[in-house]
Amino acid sequence: MSGTEKTAFKRVLLKISGEALMGDQSYGLHPPTVERIAREVKSVHDMGVEICMVIGGGNVFRGLQGSAQGMERTTADYMGMLATVMNALAMQSALEGLGVFTRVISAIRMDEVAEPYIRRRAVRHLEKKRVCIFAAGTGNPYFTTDTAATLRANEMACEAIFKGTKVDGVYDKDPVKYPDAKRYDEVSYDEVLQKHLGVMDASAIALARDNNLPIIVFSLDEPGGFRGILAGEGTYTRVGG
């Protein structure tokens, strides 16, 4: 029912890690997995929801890891930003293959493959029901894609950040390792920071808290999970807001 269903939010930002695109591989992109996630995005887009995306680059290169191995941190971070551009282009290709108009918008200028980030232009794309994929983080080293996602969500006046993970919410400890891990239905920004719950990094959580932007943590591996939550169903944790 395109654009007619009642949804909890009208404009959201979906944040996923680069690792989410790997499938069962240990590195790189797994095209069937990219297409599966694109179908999830399309199902929400078909509800009339305006969608931005930020995708990490950890499946190709992680700046912190490179830095830990002796590479100069700034250089390593820029390499990580370029990795996010590759992931964004892959997602754009998958979405457009499904008939969803998409724009990749990069914080680092590379006009042959992506638009430069201009806030008003990006907002206009959303109003025209195009999916905007924000690439290259904030364009600055020392900032993660979590922080970039929170920044862009605020700039775009999104009503929530949807953080797609491998588990169906925020737990007090790793549910894969500890069967007695407790899942939170709701948790405050301060609790996330104090208990080091690992939802997003501290800068991102603080920026969300300062702007009262809720973060919805859900499982990206659950078919229909993204769409279900927007329709008022499913299992997730709401952080703040």
Side-chain angles (χ1 to χ4, degrees):
M1 237 188 275
S2 182
T4 58
E5 284 187 72
K6 186 168 171 52
T7 60
F9 302 103
K10 293 297 179 193
R11 181 181 293 174
V12 301
L13 185 141
L14 174 63
K15 165 65 172 72
I16 61 176
S17 66
E19 287 89 346
L21 307 183
M22 293 192 307
D24 294 329
Q25 302 171 161
S26 58
Y27 177 83
L29 288 157
H30 183 239
T33 300
V34 176
E35 183 168 341
R36 177 181 66 77
I37 294 171
R39 287 188 184 281
E40 293 278 323
V41 173
K42 182 183 187 298
S43 71
V44 171
H45 183 264
D46 287 347
M47 297 168 82
V49 178
E50 296 171 6
I51 305 169
C52 321
M53 293 182 73
V54 170
I55 307 171
N59 57 321
V60 180
F61 187 86
R62 189 177 285 283
L64 266 175
Q65 224 164 35
S67 177
Q69 291 170 12
M71 189 177 285
E72 195 266 321
R73 172 68 190 268
T74 303
T75 300
D77 278 357
Y78 277 122
M79 289 173 69
M81 288 180 223
L82 296 179
T84 71
V85 177
M86 288 194 279
N87 287 339
L89 292 172
M91 184 57 66
Q92 178 185 42
S93 176
L95 283 166
E96 292 193 335
L98 298 171
V100 179
F101 291 110
T102 309
R103 294 290 186 272
V104 172
I105 300 171
S106 173
I108 298 173
R109 287 195 77 107
M110 44 185 83
D111 297 348
E112 286 75 17
V113 296
E115 287 186 10
Y117 176 69
I118 299 168
R119 189 186 67 83
R120 285 176 181 272
R121 184 189 289 177
V123 169
R124 190 76 184 109
H125 286 320
L126 291 174
E127 290 169 351
K128 290 181 175 179
K129 305 302 179 189
R130 296 165 183 158
V131 172
C132 288
I133 307 176
F134 296 113
T138 65
N140 302 290
Y142 295 94
F143 288 92
T144 66
T145 49
D146 280 345
T147 306
T150 313
L151 175 66
R152 295 291 184 243
N154 280 308
E155 288 179 301
M156 294 298 108
C158 291
E159 295 164 4
I161 296 173
F162 277 69
K163 174 84 186 272
T165 68
K166 292 192 177 297
V167 292
D168 60 356
V170 179
Y171 286 78
D172 59 351
K173 50 192 169 186
D174 188 344
V176 177
K177 293 180 187 168
Y178 303 98
D180 63 335
K182 174 192 153 200
R183 189 180 67 78
Y184 296 93
D185 284 329
E186 287 194 28
V187 63
S188 71
Y189 302 112
D190 289 336
E191 246 183 308
V192 168
L193 292 170
Q194 287 160 9
K195 296 181 179 176
H196 304 288
L197 294 177
V199 177
M200 287 177 149
D201 67 68
S203 302
I205 295 293
L207 185 57
R209 179 188 61 194
D210 292 349
N211 294 279
N212 204 33
L213 179 69
I215 302 164
I216 309 294
V217 183
F218 72 107
S219 172
L220 202 61
D221 293 340
E222 184 68 36
F226 185 24
R227 186 182 185 282
I229 294 166
L230 278 148
E233 306 153 8
T235 305
Y236 58 90
T237 298
R238 182 185 177 107
V239 179

